[in-house]
Amino acid sequence: MKVFKFGGASVKNAKGVKNVINVLEKVGNSNIIIVVSAMGKTTNALEKVVDHYLNESKELGNSIDFIKKYHIEILEDLFENKHNPIFERINSLISDLETTLKRNKSIQYDYVYDQIVCYGELIATTIVSEYLNSEGYKNNWLDARDVIKTDDDYRDASVNWEITQQNIAKNVDKKGLTVTQGFIASDANNFTTTLGREGSDYTAGIFAYCTNANSVSIWKDVPGVLNGDPRVFENVKLLSQISYEEAIELAFYGASVIHPKTLQPLQRKEIPLYVKSFVNPLDDGTSVKKGQRLLPNIPCFIVKKDQILLSLSSLDFSFIVEDNISEIFSLFHKYHLKVDLIQNSAISFSVCLDDKFNHFDQLLSHLKAKFSVVYEKNVSLYTIRHFDEEAIQSLEENKDILLKQSTKETYQIVAKQ
Ligand code: ASP
């Protein structure tokens, strides 16, 4: 069996949903699990709903209406009959969302977030599944929360593989066509959890691992994995093949084309991953497999924006050694800050941090008590894998560089945005 993942951009409008059938027509439509993300930018729109709700903003109603209108417009383009029960089903999912907010008693942001943003995926899969059914592609709609079980680390939950594996074995019909949500799961108390932004790729990896799938295909609006994000870098080229290790490195440094956690379950069972164009499904795209050399062998450019460069030195000029470093790292861990780059000398220690959860200011108050602290927010971390002189020159041109670091295969700079 195969696992397909359609991201938000691929189902952002009716044309995108119709194109799912085009893909299935060309590459086969049985023994398939289709993992779907929220349509277009719905997750961002739902994040606004959560903010408005927790801040008791007057805009709450409008932000929910915006989401409702967006999906109803897609339905109107997909289904001619305005009495089709799908309209009622989507309206009732929106009502469920409103009821969830009304009944909620928690002020814990991460918990509330997961109970609300999941509606993006629930609505998207309901629409895609119903459209496929109406066009003769009979499928089972599966609530991913019934099978993927996690801990209760809301917004960044970890999978309980044993239970998930058992649930998937029991509930997924390997022969048919299944439509399910990416990104969402549930904890032991059946509260919704999420796997981190862009986590639908990871969901595809989880289903592939648990069903021993033959392959995972991620359908994208680009021809495959490119050697740089075309929105940032010029003259980018398609990588036709890379190894799991290389893909993990690229994802780790911030290449947004594959979610970093996705590769791990696939690598363990050597399940190939294909990244392909949903516009030209028969094109080869990129294959990610064991031990494949990078082809073509060219430098790969990655940028991570909105990072923080933090430098610490001891207040009394004593050395920064193991014990302070371990204390600093436990604080990063406590505040969920991801460390992307480290550079240290005897008396100072610099890191480039990703503050996904907006906890930096809390961290700062802790650190200031013990260290002399200098930091710069809104910097970009650029990475070149397999660099050469020309690649470095083109990257560094016109940049205000704050820090450089290079290893055998990887060249990195932190620069002002
Ligand atoms: N909808 C989620 C997000 O936008 C998950 C995903 O698209 O992979 O982050």
Side-chain angles (χ1 to χ4, degrees):
M1 77 165 311
K2 292 179 184 160
V3 180
F4 287 177
K5 183 253 167 170
F6 288 90
S10 65
V11 289
K12 67 175 183 213
N13 52 27
K15 191 170 160 228
V17 177
K18 289 179 182 168
N19 187 55
V20 173
I21 292 190
N22 177 40
V23 172
L24 295 179
E25 270 296 295
K26 296 214 161 101
V27 298
N29 55 50
S30 55
N31 310 0
I32 288 174
I33 300 175
I34 301 181
V35 174
V36 184
S37 305
M39 294 174 152
K41 302 262 179 253
T42 302
T43 305
N44 294 356
L46 284 160
E47 285 183 342
K48 279 205 184 126
V49 170
V50 177
D51 288 344
H52 290 152
Y53 170 75
L54 290 173
N55 298 329
E56 296 178 14
S57 157
K58 291 198 300 287
E59 289 302 309
L60 177 63
N62 287 343
S63 55
I64 298 175
D65 284 349
F66 172 82
I67 293 167
K68 181 167 168 179
K69 206 167 146 248
Y70 168 64
H71 289 97
I72 296 292
E73 264 169 31
I74 293 178
L75 284 182
E76 284 170 350
D77 289 342
L78 288 173
F79 299 93
E80 271 169 29
N81 175 5
K82 302 292 167 277
H83 301 291
N84 189 315
I86 182 69
F87 285 86
E88 204 31 58
R89 281 172 59 202
I90 298 307
N91 279 325
S92 90
L93 279 168
I94 299 280
S95 307
D96 287 354
L97 182 161
E98 289 167 330
T99 312
T100 307
L101 288 176
K102 268 188 208 123
R103 294 210 179 127
N104 171 61
K105 297 215 162 41
S106 170
I107 49 158
Q108 244 197 65
Y109 179 83
D110 293 351
Y111 166 82
V112 177
Y113 180 103
D114 283 0
Q115 311 320 303
I116 298 306
V117 291
C118 61
Y119 281 94
E121 271 68 17
L122 292 171
I123 294 173
T125 47
T126 304
I127 296 176
V128 170
S129 166
E130 187 48 41
Y131 182 71
L132 292 180
N133 273 329
S134 73
E135 293 293 308
Y137 294 82
K138 295 292 167 219
N139 63 87
N140 303 313
W141 182 90
L142 174 74
D143 190 331
R145 297 172 300 178
D146 291 341
V147 290
I148 302 183
K149 299 305 279 188
T150 65
D151 61 10
D152 60 2
D153 192 1
Y154 299 108
R155 286 180 72 203
D156 197 17
S158 298
V159 174
N160 180 328
W161 286 95
E162 214 179 299
I163 303 183
T164 300
Q165 173 110 46
Q166 285 166 10
N167 289 344
I168 289 180
K170 260 191 260 151
N171 292 293
V172 174
D173 166 19
K174 284 197 179 187
K175 295 250 152 45
L177 183 61
T178 299
V179 175
T180 193
Q181 310 79 37
F183 181 50
I184 70 173
S186 67
D187 66 14
N189 293 317
N190 292 327
F191 289 116
T192 304
T193 56
T194 60
L195 305 171
R197 285 298 310 260
E198 313 291 330
S200 297
D201 290 0
Y202 184 39
T203 304
I206 297 167
F207 275 104
Y209 181 89
C210 294
T211 56
N212 292 321
N214 296 333
S215 66
V216 172
S217 299
I218 300 181
W219 300 97
K220 302 279 280 185
D221 53 359
V222 286
V225 180
L226 305 170
N227 73 326
D229 181 338
R231 291 166 298 186
V232 184
F233 301 101
E234 285 169 8
N235 304 323
V236 291
K237 295 197 176 72
L238 175 69
L239 303 174
S240 64
Q241 62 169 55
I242 54 177
S243 63
Y244 292 119
E245 289 80 2
E246 186 61 40
I248 289 170
E249 293 282 1
L250 293 175
F252 172 79
Y253 290 115
S256 58
V257 73
I258 306 170
H259 186 273
K261 285 192 203 158
T262 309
L263 279 313
Q264 287 148 5
L266 300 182
Q267 186 185 26
R268 256 182 273 149
K269 288 200 175 169
E270 295 185 18
I271 299 169
L273 170 71
Y274 299 101
V275 182
K276 289 178 169 235
S277 153
F278 60 70
V279 185
N280 300 307
L282 293 176
D283 286 1
D284 287 340
T286 303
S287 75
V288 185
K289 291 184 189 162
K290 188 186 170 191
Q292 287 192 137
R293 65 195 173 87
L294 178 69
L295 210 80
N297 191 0
I298 48 176
C300 300
F301 297 85
I302 305 145
V303 61
K304 257 188 162 177
K305 295 203 165 153
D306 303 323
Q307 307 291 294
I308 302 168
L309 181 62
L310 169 75
S311 298
L312 305 172
S313 47
S314 48
L315 291 167
D316 56 1
F317 292 102
S318 61
F319 292 157
I320 300 247
V321 286
E322 291 76 6
D323 57 344
N324 354 45
I325 291 181
S326 75
E327 187 188 347
I328 296 166
F329 268 87
S330 62
L331 287 171
F332 292 158
H333 179 69
K334 180 171 171 201
Y335 292 111
H336 284 91
L337 279 123
K338 191 170 167 289
V339 178
D340 288 323
L341 177 146
I342 307 168
Q343 200 167 72
N344 67 316
S345 72
I347 53 164
S348 87
F349 178 81
S350 300
V351 278
C352 192
L353 296 169
D354 192 350
D355 185 21
K356 266 201 285 187
F357 294 86
N358 272 328
H359 291 161
F360 182 71
D361 294 338
Q362 279 166 278
L363 168 80
L364 209 54
S365 58
H366 257 96
L367 290 174
K368 276 188 172 159
K370 291 214 153 179
F371 301 95
S372 146
V373 183
V374 183
Y375 65 91
E376 174 129 10
K377 287 188 174 177
N378 300 323
V379 298
S380 293
L381 171 66
Y382 292 89
T383 304
I384 318 175
R385 292 273 300 156
H386 317 290
F387 59 92
D388 56 24
E389 266 318 305
E390 197 187 326
I392 293 176
Q393 256 177 33
S394 77
L395 180 71
E396 291 188 343
E397 213 178 325
N398 303 325
K399 291 206 174 65
D400 194 347
I401 300 172
L402 303 165
L403 187 150
K404 290 185 190 187
Q405 183 161 291
S406 125
T407 59
K408 192 164 164 267
E409 291 290 359
T410 310
Y411 187 86
Q412 293 187 288
I413 61 171
V414 177
K416 289 192 181 173
Q417 249 158 226

